[in-house]
Amino acid sequence: KKIIILFMMILSTVSYSQVANTPVDLILCDDDYDGLTQFDLESQTAQVLGSQDATQFIVTYHNSLVDAETSTNTLISPYTNSTPNVQTIFVRVTDSVTNDYTITSFDIIVNELPIANIVSDIEVCDDVTDGDDTNGFVQNFDLESQTAQVLDGQDPTQFIVSYHNSLVDAESYTNTLTSPYANSLPNLEAIFVRITNTETGCFTTNNFSLIVNNCPNTPITDGNLQLAINTCLSTNPVDGMCTNSD
């Protein structure tokens, strides 16, 4: 009789042995400023089970505690949150043999994106700094002069603005450009801007152009000056007075 009672106690303990460990929250960046994005809920399963045998337990995800308790309306991945920014997901761990279950929960969080505001192009005349004022290259672009426009009122202590030669570099946050910057392509070159939230790591990119114009500087010769004077006099026959506006 004692053996039977002991066996029943052991069986009872095993029947209720399932544990639903509380996983860390799932946090992603928004992708279009609506507070919604797609989550892989099943990526939490290993944390929920811990060291428990995954073949013995069924892990399901639900929008409400009622759904978790009744094992209805199971969510599947990729799952787009139905409540913007922050939503609680309920997790049910069910023993596949006894049907006993335990419930836990975690939050799915969508962090907002910073705004990489559109900025004007930087347009300059070619110069002789590199020995040639017609080759389309300038050595002293000030990329950081665009930062205030990129932020446009966003807190500069909360965001990092960086400049890159390509979208790939901007998205991977590599090969950051510094000023003074010499354009690597003649006449027209795209610069990609990345603005990163230092708290969340979320970022956005944008771009603008560096434009180098060929601005010929025609020197004033004696002949040019005399032509200008003659033109002025012919248009001011009364008083013969010429000014800069003439």
Side-chain angles (χ1 to χ4, degrees):
K1 183 176 180 181
K2 289 183 178 179
I3 294 175
I4 294 174
I5 293 174
L6 178 62
F7 176 75
M8 291 179 65
M9 290 177 64
I10 294 173
L11 181 61
S12 176
T13 301
V14 171
S15 297
Y16 293 91
S17 63
Q18 74 280 347
V19 175
N21 297 293
T22 301
V24 298
D25 295 333
L26 274 182
I27 304 175
L28 294 177
C29 295
D30 200 349
D31 52 13
D32 58 3
Y33 300 98
D34 63 357
L36 308 176
T37 196
Q38 291 186 333
F39 290 88
D40 179 6
L41 301 179
E42 283 74 22
S43 67
Q44 300 286 73
T45 299
Q47 289 186 65
V48 171
L49 287 177
S51 60
Q52 297 171 103
D53 184 356
T55 63
Q56 185 181 343
F57 301 98
I58 300 168
V59 180
T60 54
Y61 298 87
H62 306 267
N63 262 331
S64 69
L65 180 58
V66 171
D67 284 352
E69 288 177 336
T70 57
S71 192
T72 56
N73 301 315
T74 300
L75 305 177
I76 58 174
S77 298
Y79 171 72
T80 300
N81 51 309
S82 55
T83 303
N85 304 118
V86 181
Q87 179 179 331
T88 299
I89 297 295
F90 295 87
V91 190
R92 172 179 170 133
V93 177
T94 306
D95 188 311
S96 59
V97 176
T98 67
N99 251 0
D100 293 321
Y101 67 88
T102 309
I103 294 172
T104 188
S105 67
F106 64 93
D107 286 339
I108 51 178
I109 300 170
V110 181
N111 284 323
E112 65 179 0
L113 293 174
I115 300 173
N117 291 285
I118 298 173
V119 299
S120 54
D121 298 331
I122 300 180
E123 191 166 358
V124 299
C125 288
D126 203 344
D127 59 31
V128 295
T129 306
D130 59 1
D132 188 342
D133 63 358
T134 62
N135 61 2
F137 291 99
V138 168
Q139 311 301 307
N140 55 357
F141 281 104
D142 181 5
L143 302 180
E144 285 74 20
S145 66
Q146 302 285 75
T147 299
Q149 286 187 67
V150 173
L151 289 173
D152 193 26
Q154 296 171 100
D155 186 354
T157 65
Q158 188 180 344
F159 301 95
I160 296 173
V161 178
S162 56
Y163 300 89
H164 307 263
N165 275 134
S166 69
L167 181 58
V168 171
D169 284 352
E171 291 181 337
S172 61
Y173 198 33
T174 55
N175 301 316
T176 302
L177 306 177
T178 58
S179 299
Y181 173 71
N183 55 310
S184 56
L185 297 175
N187 302 114
L188 180 65
E189 180 178 335
I191 297 294
F192 294 85
V193 188
R194 171 181 170 131
I195 177 171
T196 307
N197 186 313
T198 56
E199 295 178 2
T200 66
C202 296
F203 70 92
T204 314
T205 62
N206 210 328
N207 65 82
F208 63 92
S209 295
L210 302 179
I211 302 171
V212 180
N213 291 314
N214 184 9
C215 305
N217 240 342
T218 304
I220 298 178
T221 64
D222 290 342
N224 291 334
L225 180 57
Q226 187 59 54
L227 177 60
I229 292 173
N230 291 340
T231 301
C232 176
L233 290 174
S234 67
T235 57
N236 294 276
V238 178
D239 57 13
M241 298 294 292
C242 297
T243 65
N244 289 337
S245 61
D246 298 323

